[in-house]
Amino acid sequence: MKKVIFKTIFLFVGLLILSSNLKSQDKDFHIYLSFGQSNMEGAAKIEPQHQSVDERFQMMATVDCPDLGRVKGSWYTATPPLARCHTGIGPTDYFGKSMVDNLPDNIRVGVINVAIGGCKIELFDKENYKDYVATAPGWMENMIVDYGGNPYGRLVEMAKLAQKDGVIKGILLHQGESDTGDITWPEKVKEVYTNLLNDLGLNAADVPLLAGGVVSADQHGKCASMNEIIAKLPETIPTSHFISSVGCKAAADSLHFTSEGYELLGFRYAAKMLSINGYKATVPAGFDNLRTGIERGKIDSIEYTSKTVGVDRKALVYLPPNYSNKKKYPVLYLLHGIGGDEKEWLNGGQPHIILDNLYSDNKIADMIVVMPNGRAMKDDRAEGNIMAADKVEAFATFERDLLDDLIPFIEKTYSVYTDRENRAIAGLSMGGGQALNFGLGNLDKFAWVGGFSSAPNTKGVQELIPNVDNAKELLNLLWISCGDKDGLISVSKRTHDFLVSNNVEHVYRVIPNGYHDFNVWKEGLYNFSQLLFKDVDSDLIRKFSYITPESTYVSANRFN
């Protein structure tokens, strides 16, 4: 009888504790565990700009850092370093920033980072880590001691504390340099992943594992061959995903990444996680508001000789903050609509403000933006009957003016790259049609093409993309966006439908309650520019694609 009473009491107390924990747990606090070796620790120098972090991005201290005012097991705003006290900035920093930038405002993100430079995956083997510690090099000993001699144990200890506050949503791994060539690495990772799930009471389907590539061959990575093994991890762990490091800039040692490389890698981790969880790219409030206290770009007004037209023509050029002739820049040619000129974007869309803010948030690659007058005729003013036949024809004539006159002038005047990989074209309305016509018609000149609310001057799909295989091979990004209330959406839809039927990957973004105006076009520039001159994969395509659920134009399942 007493045993029954005691069991009842224990059960009651247990239920009270469980109830208390559930009440204190915030379902909108998403927690991610990250572990690995030096790249996950963060090997890039922490600069002053890295200290500006949204309070929604939190980190749990995994060691005591008196100099930083941090106590193990406590949450802090995620200013670097995120691992041990004197490490640098790494992919987890940019992962968290990208997550809070693209999640609803009510969701917070927390990270728990345990990483040891130079370690093999065996250090995180729950059963056999002591054997590895016993043979670890002397320079690694103090790092291991910082984690109580058991990094895996510390990760679990901190994760259990974190589960009282929020929900673990994923695990990030960056490790492999020290295991290069080990074909059993995926099985070893599976053992660590399985142990984490079991020790923390997690389900694999709810907590995916994201594993990033080491410095890739295109960056002359010393361990680049390991990427073939890491990329096969999903074959061993179905709930894992490989995060490519192609294009992520390497440090001089060819083992670590630069801050810029970590930024791109962290963004890819975030893009994959956002995609898994069904989140789409959003436009934050105030994205086009003038900010104080940030570095600004510069607007140049230029004149170039147009042999095509036979006169000197005008254009505006946006130079990014800290533009320097000592480095080269890619170029975006940004086109206006039928009723505008080279100043339409500046007056209606304020691209310099949008771009300045994006640079301040470290969301875009350095680039020059050229805003020309797309009406290639001697009197190119947007006056009188803008629909007159000669003025409409002048928009088609601009293709030659752009290719033969303007682009050579820009490449002679500014410090820019001159290859197709570093040249983009986009536009609004009439300019959107021009961008699709000229970009897709000259894939030897443009690798990045975007049409915002493209007008009926857009060529028919068969003429626009006569060689589908060529488009698939040469396009780095094709972007099509339009407001769902825009009377011209059929132009964008017909192009989108053709691309889908021919399996040409592209962003198709339908803006809810969007009309034929700058609210849509500014949104287009804000999102399109974030993808330019970076490695764009299928996850990013899905992240930035959006079709309103109530839309009757096309099934949203295309992108799910």
Side-chain angles (χ1 to χ4, degrees):
M1 184 66 179
K2 289 182 178 179
K3 289 183 179 179
V4 174
I5 293 173
F6 283 138
K7 285 182 180 179
T8 302
I9 292 173
F10 288 145
L11 177 60
F12 179 70
V13 171
L15 288 173
L16 283 177
I17 293 172
L18 177 61
S19 176
S20 176
N21 286 340
L22 289 175
K23 286 181 180 178
S24 62
Q25 188 185 60
D26 183 356
K27 301 294 185 182
D28 289 334
F29 187 23
H30 296 181
I31 297 166
Y32 297 89
L33 311 183
S34 61
F35 72 101
Q37 55 185 106
S38 55
N39 274 309
M40 187 57 88
E41 275 189 318
K45 182 180 178 182
I46 300 171
E47 303 285 355
Q49 66 268 23
H50 299 144
Q51 302 295 336
S52 177
V53 179
D54 191 318
E55 290 183 356
R56 290 169 51 222
F57 178 26
Q58 297 277 302
M59 58 86 69
M60 177 178 278
T62 54
V63 297
D64 290 324
C65 293
D67 292 347
L68 299 175
R70 292 177 179 174
V71 177
K72 180 186 71 176
S74 297
W75 291 106
Y76 302 92
T77 299
T79 52
L82 303 186
R84 292 178 298 108
C85 308
H86 303 292
T87 50
I89 197 163
T92 309
D93 294 86
Y94 292 108
F95 165 80
K97 288 183 177 181
S98 295
M99 291 296 285
V100 297
D101 281 346
N102 290 287
L103 287 169
D105 291 342
N106 62 301
I107 295 178
R108 295 179 298 140
V109 171
V111 295
I112 302 173
N113 191 331
V114 173
I116 297 283
C119 78
K120 290 189 174 184
I121 194 64
E122 284 84 351
L123 183 57
F124 292 92
D125 184 333
K126 175 182 177 181
E127 304 298 335
N128 302 302
Y129 77 94
K130 290 182 179 179
D131 293 336
Y132 181 81
V133 172
T135 61
W139 52 264
M140 191 185 293
E141 291 178 359
N142 286 336
M143 300 181 192
I144 297 173
V145 168
D146 283 347
Y147 292 119
N150 181 1
Y152 173 87
R154 179 62 57 84
L155 183 60
V156 171
E157 176 191 0
M158 297 297 99
K160 286 183 176 178
L161 286 176
Q163 284 179 302
K164 298 177 182 179
D165 302 317
V167 181
I168 295 176
K169 303 286 285 186
I171 300 173
L172 315 181
L173 169 66
H174 197 283
Q175 195 279 332
E177 292 91 347
S178 296
D179 294 84
T180 299
D182 182 359
I183 60 174
T184 67
W185 183 85
E187 287 293 341
K188 294 174 180 177
V189 172
K190 181 180 180 181
E191 185 72 18
V192 178
Y193 178 55
T194 301
N195 285 335
L196 284 171
L197 295 175
N198 291 338
D199 288 342
L200 297 171
L202 303 171
N203 294 317
D206 300 325
V207 185
L209 173 68
L210 275 55
V214 300
V215 175
S216 62
D218 74 304
Q219 298 292 315
H220 309 292
K222 291 180 179 178
C223 302
S225 62
M226 186 62 186
N227 283 330
E228 294 183 14
I229 296 174
I230 301 173
K232 293 181 179 179
L233 189 61
E235 297 176 9
T236 302
I237 305 174
T239 52
S240 68
H241 304 270
F242 173 62
I243 308 302
S244 171
S245 60
V246 173
C248 297
K249 291 187 178 180
D253 63 5
S254 298
L255 288 171
H256 300 96
F257 298 93
T258 63
S259 176
E260 186 177 353
Y262 285 129
E263 180 177 3
L264 180 53
L265 188 61
F267 179 74
R268 289 178 183 166
Y269 273 101
K272 169 56 74 173
M273 192 61 69
L274 289 163
S275 175
I276 291 170
N277 292 322
Y279 291 105
K280 297 292 184 181
T282 59
V283 178
F287 78 98
D288 55 348
N289 289 348
L290 182 67
R291 294 186 193 172
T292 59
I294 66 170
E295 294 181 329
R296 304 194 185 287
K298 175 188 175 185
I299 297 286
D300 277 354
S301 181
I302 63 166
E303 287 193 10
Y304 64 98
T305 299
S306 172
K307 295 179 182 178
T308 301
V309 179
V311 296
D312 287 348
R313 308 195 67 230
K314 295 180 179 180
L316 298 180
V317 178
Y318 169 85
L319 302 177
N322 300 311
Y323 169 81
S324 171
N325 286 319
K326 295 181 179 179
K327 65 175 287 188
K328 289 187 179 295
Y329 298 80
V331 184
L332 164 63
Y333 291 87
L334 188 61
L335 312 182
H336 61 81
I338 194 169
D341 56 22
E342 74 276 6
K343 295 182 180 179
E344 182 178 28
W345 267 103
L346 185 67
N347 295 331
Q350 299 182 307
H352 55 302
I353 293 177
I354 294 172
L355 296 170
D356 286 347
N357 292 344
L358 284 167
Y359 281 117
S360 178
D361 293 336
N362 295 310
K363 288 185 176 180
I364 57 172
D366 285 345
M367 70 183 82
I368 287 173
V369 180
V370 179
M371 292 167 277
N373 186 323
R375 190 181 295 99
M377 57 193 303
K378 287 186 169 63
D379 183 0
D380 60 8
R381 294 173 297 174
E383 296 180 353
N385 180 12
I386 60 173
M387 300 296 293
D390 60 335
K391 293 185 178 180
V392 172
E393 180 61 27
F395 279 93
T397 305
F398 179 65
E399 180 174 6
R400 298 304 343 148
D401 180 67
L402 172 67
L403 299 177
D404 300 338
D405 303 314
L406 179 56
I407 289 177
F409 176 85
I410 293 297
E411 293 178 351
K412 180 180 178 181
T413 306
Y414 295 96
S415 181
V416 300
Y417 292 106
T418 59
D419 61 294
R420 61 177 297 277
E421 294 284 341
N422 287 286
R423 196 180 293 126
I425 187 169
L428 65 87
S429 192
M430 192 75 162
Q434 286 178 304
L436 295 180
N437 294 343
F438 305 164
L440 295 173
N442 296 278
L443 289 175
D444 60 327
K445 301 291 194 299
F446 301 97
W448 315 80
V449 180
F452 314 148
S453 310
S454 299
N457 65 313
T458 306
K459 293 179 180 178
V461 290
Q462 298 292 346
E463 185 181 2
L464 193 63
I465 310 175
N467 188 327
V468 170
D469 291 337
N470 195 45
K472 289 180 181 179
E473 180 182 354
L474 296 178
L475 276 169
N476 287 349
L477 173 66
L478 175 55
W479 175 289
I480 298 171
S481 60
C482 192
D484 63 356
K485 301 293 194 297
D486 191 331
L488 298 182
I489 194 171
S490 61
V491 176
S492 295
K493 180 187 178 297
R494 80 184 184 207
T495 306
H496 161 69
D497 286 347
F498 176 82
L499 296 169
V500 170
S501 65
N502 286 276
N503 296 312
V504 180
E505 202 165 40
H506 64 289
V507 169
Y508 183 53
R509 192 171 177 88
V510 179
I511 314 304
N513 297 311
Y515 293 85
H516 199 74
D517 60 26
F518 266 107
N519 291 322
V520 169
W521 304 329
K522 288 192 292 184
E523 206 245 39
L525 176 63
Y526 176 84
N527 281 314
F528 177 70
S529 63
Q530 292 182 59
L531 298 183
L532 291 180
F533 314 118
K534 298 177 180 179
D535 186 44
V536 177
D537 58 20
S538 297
D539 292 318
L540 287 176
I541 294 293
R542 285 192 293 271
K543 174 188 172 185
F544 282 86
S545 296
Y546 181 75
I547 302 172
T548 52
E550 68 276 11
S551 174
T552 59
Y553 297 115
V554 66
S555 169
N557 292 330
R558 296 280 193 187
F559 296 97
N560 291 339

